[in-house]
Amino acid sequence: MEKEFVKSVEDILSFIGSKENILSVGRSKTRLRLNLKDKKKVDIGQFKKVDGVLGIVETKEQFQIILEPQKAKVLIQEFNKVYELKKWVFI
């Protein structure tokens, strides 16, 4: 994992209120699609600081993070790796 992608993934997880706030993860070419337990926990303003994030779209069902096309594939892969790893780690 490249350091910049790890930082971006950790920031995303932090700004959505933690991994525990995620019900499911989906993706498209340039979007990370999250179904969240509580959208009120999301700190939308902080996403402007995340390298590779272009914007946010909120629908009734999803919280979509729009990613730079040249970084999207790797960022989504790294997000899935970190999310799956953290999902099964109990501290």
Side-chain angles (χ1 to χ4, degrees):
M1 254 191 281
E2 289 186 39
K3 198 173 190 177
E4 76 175 271
F5 292 111
V6 172
K7 172 79 170 107
S8 292
V9 167
E10 289 173 350
D11 286 346
I12 289 170
L13 284 170
S14 172
F15 301 150
I16 60 168
S18 82
K19 67 181 183 326
E20 288 83 15
N21 196 28
I22 300 173
L23 292 172
S24 66
V25 178
R27 63 177 171 79
S28 64
K29 277 194 166 200
T30 60
R31 293 188 187 206
L32 181 60
R33 301 171 185 269
L34 305 173
N35 290 335
L36 303 174
K37 292 177 187 174
D38 186 357
K39 289 184 184 177
K40 294 175 190 165
K41 292 184 177 182
V42 177
D43 191 348
I44 294 175
Q46 294 295 320
F47 282 93
K48 294 176 184 177
K49 299 177 184 177
V50 180
D51 186 38
V53 173
L54 296 178
I56 301 295
V57 173
E58 290 183 81
T59 68
K60 187 175 181 180
E61 298 83 26
Q62 288 186 333
F63 184 79
Q64 301 176 12
I65 303 168
I66 305 167
L67 305 168
E68 290 180 23
Q70 58 273 38
K71 294 182 178 180
K73 183 178 178 179
V74 176
L75 195 55
I76 290 169
Q77 288 172 344
E78 296 308 324
F79 181 89
N80 285 329
K81 284 180 194 175
V82 171
Y83 173 66
E84 285 301 314
L85 186 70
K86 289 187 177 210
K87 191 163 94 173
W88 302 111
V89 173
F90 300 99
I91 300 174

